Amino acid sequence: MVLVSECQVLDDSEIAAFLENSSFPYDYGKNESDSPPCPQDFSLNFDRTFSPVLYSLLFVLGLLGNGVVAAVLLSQRAALSSTDTFLLHLAMADALLVLTLPLWAVNAAVQWVFGSGLCKVAGALFNINFYAGSLLLACISFDRYLSIVHATQLYRRGPQTRVALTCVVVWGLCLLFALPDFIFLSAQRDNRLSATVCQHNFPQFGRTALRLLQLVAGFLLPLLVMTYCYARILAVLLISKGRRRLRAMRVVVAVVVAFALCWTPYHLVTMVDILMDLEALAPNCSRQSQIDVAKSVTSGLGYMHCCLNPLLYAFVGIKFRERLWTLLTRLGCPGLQQQPSSSRRDSSWSETTEASYSGL
Amino acid sequence: MNLKGKAIIFAVIFSATVIQGFPMFKGGRCLCIGPGLKAVKVADIEKASIIYPSNSCDKIEVIITLKAHKGQRCLNPRSKQASLIIKLVERKNSSKH
């Protein structure tokens, strides 16, 4: 069933003519604040200024950071490890996600002015890349886990096609996840906001359950997988001492902490919202608008994770910085090209640790 | 693929059923919370707005604007007065066509 948003207004003469003969025991007036509609302008006004600024900032930072990562990795395409390949895809996903941010900035500042087609495409693109981001993070953690804890070189020893296949599966799944967006997203007039919004054309029924599911599936499970994989890696790295391993360990901790820090606040706010929907927490106007503002801020923090990935996974790695330097010198002054650093692929252990912090 | 691989695949499939709730895809909320008033004094009514269910709110809402800047009130849509107002709107609509 498609719900149509409509608004009908009657003026006093029509109502008086109709209702004059009926008398109602009215119960207002004793308490002036009884049952006024909630004004939504505070959170809307906040969104109108905060979101465009934040989204523009994330757009520039995210495109720049992920662009550099992609450029560096693509320039050394032949020598990419499995982690590098995942990183390349992660950078592309993050870049594509922030690419849609200007549209959402305009949406927050004015309203959705781009029509239904772009609503579907931008919404789907956003969600595809959001999912791709977390799936690739899981892939990276799983890849690191296998190579360090089990020392099984699942991807490295086998043909490169295995990594490619994994990436194809990841993107295919993300496309699948975005199907509801393609089907249900549309630009429509919202009479409660008196604005056009890009929204899922989906009855509110069951939304609370779906949000609960998002909390568990979209955050808790990935976090659990990451925490498990990296905790096992840490245990191995702790036993084997050495400065390099200590460094790798720091990065491992930073990766999980960054993911948790960026997304926990948003999901906490969503949890409060769900409690309010279930009326476990008495809803009131000010609480609602506080939640709306908090959601804008915390989701912005979540999107910021897209800009952090390049920093965490790439710039911290020594090997990446060397490569970036090589690329820059090659671009800047082709005559001064450095001798390519020798491949460290002979020893299995050194390779895995090397990869673990070149990647991380 | 071992147990962890299966766990990851399970997590992936599980999240397929999730519909995103990011703020950018969110419309407004219901304007009225709580049950709302049963009735208001007819002479006080300046304007009555009926807002039908939409994607942002699955309830029908009746909002009365009171005269003399007394503000707005939410009418319980199930109350007798509200249902009369809703009926009036429906009659007005059908007479238009």
Side-chain angles (χ1 to χ4, degrees):
Chain A
M1 189 182 71
V2 175
L3 294 166
V4 195
S5 180
E6 274 185 272
C7 180
Q8 295 284 341
V9 179
L10 294 173
D11 58 32
D12 55 341
S13 59
E14 289 170 299
I15 291 168
F18 185 70
L19 293 180
E20 64 186 346
N21 295 327
S22 13
S23 66
F24 303 100
Y26 50 88
D27 54 1
Y28 78 108
K30 302 153 207 156
N31 180 5
E32 270 303 319
S33 63
D34 199 10
S35 283
C38 287
Q40 305 196 9
D41 27 319
F42 177 70
S43 57
L44 287 176
N45 282 336
F46 179 82
D47 242 15
R48 228 164 260 152
T49 47
F50 173 79
S51 300
V53 172
L54 180 75
Y55 291 174
S56 313
L57 205 74
L58 293 182
F59 173 70
V60 174
L61 284 179
L63 218 55
L64 214 72
N66 289 297
V68 169
V69 172
V72 168
L73 292 174
L74 279 174
S75 74
Q76 317 226 338
R77 225 168 173 170
L80 290 189
S81 70
S82 56
T83 303
D84 290 338
T85 310
F86 288 133
L87 275 178
L88 179 60
H89 285 260
L90 184 67
M92 287 195 293
D94 285 344
L96 279 172
L97 191 146
V98 296
L99 215 57
T100 67
L101 284 181
L103 296 181
W104 306 117
V106 174
N107 178 44
V110 199
Q111 58 174 351
W112 188 259
V113 291
F114 306 105
S116 270
L118 213 51
C119 167
K120 282 181 196 295
V121 171
L125 205 62
F126 183 89
N127 280 335
I128 287 173
N129 293 295
F130 168 75
Y131 279 122
S134 37
L135 288 188
L136 287 166
L137 285 181
C139 284
I140 290 171
S141 69
F142 192 58
D143 180 43
R144 309 279 78 229
Y145 168 79
L146 283 183
S147 69
I148 292 176
V149 177
H150 291 292
T152 36
Q153 312 258 308
L154 181 68
Y155 292 117
R156 234 156 274 120
R157 195 173 289 162
Q160 193 71 17
T161 46
R162 249 185 209 163
V163 187
L165 200 72
T166 311
C167 290
V168 167
V169 169
V170 165
W171 286 107
L173 278 171
C174 296
L175 272 174
L176 205 71
F177 296 168
L179 267 184
D181 298 319
F182 275 118
I183 297 165
F184 291 113
L185 273 180
S186 69
Q188 47 200 297
R189 184 84 194 159
D190 189 317
N191 281 312
R192 288 175 174 82
L193 289 177
S194 20
T196 305
V197 291
C198 174
Q199 203 185 11
H200 289 102
N201 197 357
F202 188 77
Q204 217 188 14
F205 168 77
R207 243 179 217 181
T208 304
L210 285 171
R211 283 224 303 270
L212 205 65
L213 210 61
Q214 181 193 11
L215 174 72
V216 176
F219 175 67
L220 292 179
L221 271 180
L223 188 66
L224 217 69
V225 170
M226 281 176 75
T227 312
Y228 177 79
C229 288
Y230 285 132
R232 294 291 302 273
I233 292 172
L234 272 188
V236 170
L237 290 178
L238 273 174
I239 298 164
S240 59
K241 296 205 172 72
R243 290 187 63 198
R244 277 192 159 182
R245 267 136 232 178
L246 222 71
R247 188 183 166 76
M249 218 156 68
R250 275 215 310 266
V251 180
V252 159
V253 172
V255 166
V256 182
V257 167
F259 182 78
L261 274 186
C262 283
W263 284 111
T264 305
Y266 173 73
H267 289 283
L268 280 179
V269 172
T270 312
M271 213 140 77
V272 176
D273 203 18
I274 291 169
L275 285 179
M276 226 157 66
D277 270 2
L278 297 171
E279 283 173 4
L281 211 70
N284 66 48
C285 289
S286 64
R287 201 174 272 164
Q288 272 189 359
S289 88
Q290 279 162 9
I291 291 274
D292 285 340
V293 168
K295 260 191 169 168
S296 297
V297 175
T298 53
S299 64
L301 190 68
Y303 308 149
M304 209 180 273
H305 193 248
C306 291
C307 305
L308 284 184
N309 283 336
L311 294 175
L312 285 174
Y313 283 80
F315 288 105
V316 176
I318 297 165
K319 214 158 110 189
F320 179 85
R321 283 200 299 246
E322 278 171 11
R323 283 172 178 178
L324 178 63
W325 187 244
T326 312
L327 180 68
L328 284 179
T329 46
R330 205 167 64 193
L331 288 174
C333 21
L336 282 177
Q337 194 180 338
Q338 281 181 338
Q339 204 182 322
S341 52
S342 59
S343 172
R344 299 183 182 103
R345 285 176 177 251
D346 13 302
S347 149
S348 162
W349 170 252
S350 84
E351 190 218 332
T352 48
T353 41
E354 187 65 32
S356 72
Y357 58 78
S358 83
L360 298 173
Chain B
M1 189 135 289
N2 61 8
L3 194 73
K4 284 110 211 166
K6 278 180 194 149
I8 289 174
I9 289 165
F10 177 71
V12 164
I13 291 166
F14 197 49
S15 52
T17 46
V18 171
I19 298 231
Q20 287 302 306
F22 287 118
M24 47 184 69
F25 304 122
K26 213 188 76 176
R29 291 174 176 275
C30 292
L31 297 174
C32 297
I33 51 178
L37 298 175
K38 285 199 195 78
V40 298
K41 199 152 87 183
V42 178
D44 273 357
I45 298 177
E46 184 179 299
K47 202 175 77 180
S49 310
I50 293 127
I51 311 175
Y52 287 96
S54 70
N55 291 312
S56 30
C57 176
D58 57 0
K59 288 189 295 191
I60 185 168
E61 295 183 300
V62 181
I63 295 173
I64 304 289
T65 307
L66 299 173
K67 281 175 184 165
H69 304 291
K70 281 185 195 155
Q72 295 186 311
R73 295 289 184 276
C74 288
L75 217 53
N76 185 342
R78 287 196 194 139
S79 73
K80 206 177 152 203
Q81 193 181 44
S83 55
L84 279 172
I85 291 173
I86 294 167
K87 219 176 273 170
L88 177 61
V89 163
E90 277 161 8
R91 195 195 287 171
K92 197 179 145 196
N93 278 350
S94 58
S95 68
K96 254 192 252 170
H97 299 302

